[in-house]
Amino acid sequence: MTAIYELRTYTVTVGKMNDVIALYQSEGWPALSKHPDRLCSYFTGDIGALNQIVHLWKFKDDADRRAFWAGVFNDPAFMNFARQLRPLLQKQENKILLGAPWGPNL
């Protein structure tokens, strides 16, 4: 069975990145880190697309992905974080990716 990856890109309102970073550090990551380890990494832009937080997640399959997010969205601490985060974002984009049949995959 081939793993699937979820690439999430959050575009932050200009001028609010410091608020988003502080919120992730104080509430977002503590809530997410209680759940199964599926995160590959978080990134912020330095050149090009600014005001974005990009994160890549790896799941065994779609059922694993859905079960993970169901658990996260049923977590009151995470949902409290999400309520505070949403007004700071302009948009969210999610992509499901499959590892190419050549070269390395995480």
Side-chain angles (χ1 to χ4, degrees):
M1 184 170 288
T2 303
I4 63 171
Y5 299 84
E6 183 172 3
L7 181 69
R8 291 179 165 235
T9 303
Y10 298 166
T11 301
V12 177
T13 300
V14 174
K16 298 295 183 181
M17 184 62 88
N18 287 339
D19 296 338
V20 169
I21 290 170
L23 185 60
Y24 262 99
Q25 289 174 329
S26 66
E27 296 188 39
W29 183 243
L32 283 167
S33 65
K34 296 184 301 184
H35 295 275
D37 185 16
R38 299 292 188 266
L39 179 66
C40 295
S41 193
Y42 272 99
F43 306 92
T44 58
D46 182 45
I47 297 173
L50 302 176
N51 301 303
Q52 288 188 338
I53 295 179
V54 178
H55 32 131
L56 181 66
W57 301 81
K58 181 179 181 180
F59 301 98
K60 296 173 198 163
D61 52 31
D62 190 56
D64 182 38
R65 177 184 164 272
R66 291 179 185 278
F68 173 82
W69 288 118
V72 170
F73 294 146
N74 282 312
D75 179 345
F78 178 82
M79 293 311 295
N80 181 56
F81 158 73
R83 277 189 289 280
Q84 296 174 71
L85 177 66
R86 287 180 184 135
L88 303 172
L89 302 179
Q90 290 295 309
K91 67 179 179 175
Q92 174 182 335
E93 298 175 67
N94 294 8
K95 294 179 183 176
I96 300 297
L97 306 169
L98 303 174
W102 66 90
N105 290 299
L106 297 175

